[in-house]
Each structure stands twice: as structure tokens, then as C-alpha cells.
Amino acid sequence: WPFQTGFIENHLDLHYRVDGSMQTIGSVFRAAGYRTEYYGKWHLGPADGQAWGYDVFNSGGEGAGAKADSGPNKDFENTARAVAAIARHAKSGQAQPLFLTLSIVDPHGPFTPSKANLERYASNPDLPLRANDLKKDRNYYDNYYAEITGVDEMLGSVMQALDEHGMAQNTILIYTSDHGAMGGAQKIGGGQKRMPHDESTRVPFLIRWPGRIPAGKSIGALFSTIDIFPTLCALADLSAHWAQIASTEASEAARYTAECPGLDFSRNLLGIEGGPDPESVFLMHPSNMTNNNNSVQTYRAVLTKEYLYAVRTQYRPIAVAAKAQGKTQKNRKRFDPPQPAGEWLLYDHAKDPLQ
């Protein structure tokens, strides 16, 4: 969990992990004999991914706190690097497996979609808005849809490369996201994500492994971001690789993965009985400590298949925290004044699906 590693806000640095570990999903795959490559947004401190488990690392200049380049080309350039890495791996003829991460910024503000994709949506005023969108920002939707279309194109080029090089049948391909966007729900516009509502917390997790994971299947179990790590390690059978290699790195990777608080959903995905079916998922926004955006109510929440329940926690307004750090912050506003700690939200998914 973020509070266990210390990553409770944006723009924090891996070097300051409170658990003192150097392990990442890249390092445990590398310890299992994989070649590990990372392209795209890093957001975890200085661009030094090689120190954190990646043989090849190219963040495209997107370290923690770095501002994305203006224009639609950055994500496409990183995608091209990933596609080239797939081709390079296929042509090398090496038996060493590949673990590749492509971290795409879009769809994320400030929006910079391609002109062609933006025109597809800006020219169609009849595209529907979400029923619970209380801001009705047509410009936001045009840009959001346009950037999603760009992501579709990038993912398509990766899938095409896997097909062209004969790697698709033996590749686990995952598409997911780190957060959603309120997009007008609760009168909160744009990409604001630090809320317990579905628009913020429910994200896609699509996985393809031809011949192993049944296509078109939907898993009804509650699955959280912390479950990705142990699930992917199990699908790749990394424990067998670690045992065979029998190195210090492999032993440390095995120990770290065994202690991971996430759940292994590999049985659920493979259609094997006995996989986890947790009663709830824990949600938390613990701090406005370092984010340069407006302060948002901190909270703890529990999500079940039937309900969402959240309580407010106490926090200092961002301007007070900034002053205590000796920094000058101007023109800072909050979405709402701080509210007293206590019960906040309770939603019944069946009776109030739009919250």
C-alpha cells in the first residue's frame, strides 16, 4: 500500500521509500532472468530506472515533477521506442524473455491531442455526455475522447508489432491505468482523481494471453492495483525461475514478493477454481502534501460489491502546509474548505449506480 512505502502523493522519489527496499516489479522480473525495458512517463523521482530494475530505461524526459512536452508526439515517440524494442527482441533470437513497460501519459491534462483526432469529436456536437456530469464541459470531452483515440492507436501499434514478429501467442499483454477522472461528476471537473467515487477509482484492467486466459471473460472479484504485482509474477511463474537461478537477487525478489500485501488473481484469470474473492477493497487519499493542485478532502474508504463507504480524515489546507515548509504559494484555491473528520459518504451501487 502507498502508506507502507511512503508514496502518499505525487512527485515523490523512490530513493525516499520508507520500507528501505530497492525492489520493483522490474527488479523481480530481472532477477528471474528477464530483460527489462521501460519507456514513457516515470513519475517516481529522477530518471534513473536502471537503478530500480530496468536494463533499458527511457522516460522521454518525464521524471517526477517534470512537465510533459507540449504537443501530441511524446507518447507516440515512446510507443515507437517500445515497438522497436519488440522488433529488436524478436530479431535477436535470444531465449531470454522480455518484460516491457510502456507508460503513456494520455489521456491526461493539459490535453494535447493530434489535430485529426480532435476534429473527429469537436465536429460532432451530438456525442453524449455522462448522465451524472454536472459541468457539461464539451471542450473537455472533445479533448478527452481525442486522447483516448490516440491511446487506442498506440496500443494498436504494439499489438501489431507482437503479431508481425510472432510474439503474440506467448506474450501476456496488459492495459490498465493508475487513476480515472471525475469529469464533471459531483461538479468536479477535468481530470481530478483524488476522490472515492467510481469516476476516480474504477479503472480498466484488460489482459490478453492467447490460449491461456479465456477471451471475453469478465472477472467479478474486487481487484486492486496492489494485486497486479503478485498476479503477474504468478502468471509468469517467476518462483520457478528464481529457484532455478538461485542467486542473491532471486532470493531477495522471492522474499519481497511473498511479503507483498496484494492478492494473486492468476487462478481467476486462468479459469481455475480457488482464486481469491475479497469482500472489500481499501481506498485512501492520505495527503495533499506535495501536489501543486488544489487541496482535496482526505479520506479513507471501503468498497464492496454492494456499497461504497467513506469517512473524512483531518488535514491541513495546502497553503498552511506550504508556509510551514518555507515556500511561497500564490493564487492557491481549494475545491472546498476543510470539513470535520467523520462519516462522509455511503452509496448503494444497485440503487444509486451513478452516485
Side-chain angles (χ1 to χ4, degrees):
W1 295 97
F3 64 84
Q4 293 174 307
T5 61
F7 285 92
I8 59 173
E9 262 296 357
N10 275 348
H11 312 299
L12 296 180
D13 191 323
L14 275 173
H15 292 90
Y16 297 102
R17 283 176 63 164
V18 297
D19 61 0
S21 175
M22 292 286 288
Q23 298 289 341
T24 66
I25 195 167
S27 68
V28 299
F29 269 83
R30 186 164 68 179
Y34 278 71
R35 178 175 176 81
T36 55
E37 304 194 19
Y38 190 105
Y39 301 93
K41 185 174 182 178
W42 180 238
H43 222 339
L44 292 170
D48 59 351
Q50 288 179 326
W52 297 95
Y54 293 95
D55 298 309
V56 176
F57 178 81
N58 190 320
S59 71
E62 182 64 24
K67 188 175 182 179
D69 297 341
S70 60
N73 297 323
K74 182 177 182 182
D75 281 331
F76 283 97
E77 291 171 358
N78 285 321
T79 301
R81 294 185 179 103
V83 168
I86 293 171
R88 186 169 58 248
H89 177 76
K91 294 176 181 178
S92 69
Q94 296 180 359
Q96 182 184 27
L98 174 67
F99 177 76
L100 187 149
T101 300
L102 172 60
S103 181
I104 297 172
V105 178
D106 292 343
H108 197 294
F111 291 128
T112 55
S114 68
K115 182 178 180 181
N117 284 338
L118 181 58
E119 288 178 346
R120 293 178 62 178
Y121 299 103
S123 61
N124 186 354
D126 297 325
L127 284 173
L129 305 181
R130 283 181 59 86
N132 64 341
D133 177 3
L134 302 179
K135 293 187 75 71
K136 310 299 182 185
D137 185 347
R138 181 75 247 182
N139 182 65
Y140 170 83
Y141 274 90
D142 291 344
N143 280 272
Y144 189 70
Y145 290 155
E147 289 206 343
I148 289 177
T149 299
V151 173
D152 286 345
E153 294 167 352
M154 288 177 257
L155 179 60
S157 65
V158 171
M159 297 174 70
Q160 181 179 351
L162 292 172
D163 288 337
E164 290 177 350
H165 296 288
M167 295 171 60
Q169 295 298 312
N170 196 33
T171 296
I172 299 172
L173 177 66
I174 293 173
Y175 171 82
T176 189
S177 179
D178 56 345
H179 62 78
M182 293 299 288
Q186 311 296 323
K187 294 186 179 181
I188 300 175
Q192 176 53 236
K193 65 221 178 197
R194 295 170 288 168
M195 302 291 286
H197 302 81
D198 282 356
E199 288 81 7
S200 170
T201 61
R202 289 178 65 90
V203 297
F205 184 85
L206 309 178
I207 183 168
R208 185 187 75 169
W209 192 6
R212 297 297 303 276
I213 295 178
K217 182 179 181 180
S218 178
I219 305 298
L222 294 172
F223 182 80
S224 186
T225 302
I226 65 166
D227 302 321
I228 296 175
F229 195 122
T231 300
L232 193 52
C233 289
L235 287 173
D237 196 17
L238 293 194
S239 58
H241 293 278
W242 294 324
Q244 184 176 9
I245 293 172
S247 65
T248 300
E249 292 78 10
S251 297
E252 292 177 350
R255 177 190 57 77
Y256 181 80
T257 304
E259 296 174 354
C260 176
L263 299 176
D264 169 16
F265 281 80
S266 59
R267 299 179 70 90
N268 307 60
L269 294 170
L270 294 170
I272 302 173
E273 293 184 358
D277 188 14
E279 294 182 355
S280 63
V281 165
F282 177 58
L283 306 175
M284 186 179 188
H285 171 46
S287 171
N288 290 295
M289 182 176 65
T290 62
N291 204 304
N292 289 326
N293 295 320
N294 298 342
S295 294
V296 178
Q297 176 66 55
T298 53
Y299 68 85
R300 295 186 181 94
V302 174
L303 177 72
T304 72
K305 294 178 181 179
E306 294 81 20
Y307 302 102
L308 169 65
Y309 174 70
V311 296
R312 294 189 183 97
T313 56
Q314 293 181 333
Y315 74 97
R316 292 185 299 165
I318 192 75
V320 175
K323 184 177 180 181
Q325 297 170 16
K327 299 178 181 179
T328 301
Q329 306 272 347
K330 297 181 178 180
N331 300 321
R332 302 297 294 276
K333 298 180 179 179
R334 298 188 302 272
F335 287 102
D336 294 293
Q339 300 294 323
E343 291 187 328
W344 183 22
L345 304 172
L346 175 62
Y347 291 110
D348 183 315
H349 300 317
K351 295 180 179 179
D352 189 9
L354 295 179
Q355 300 177 338

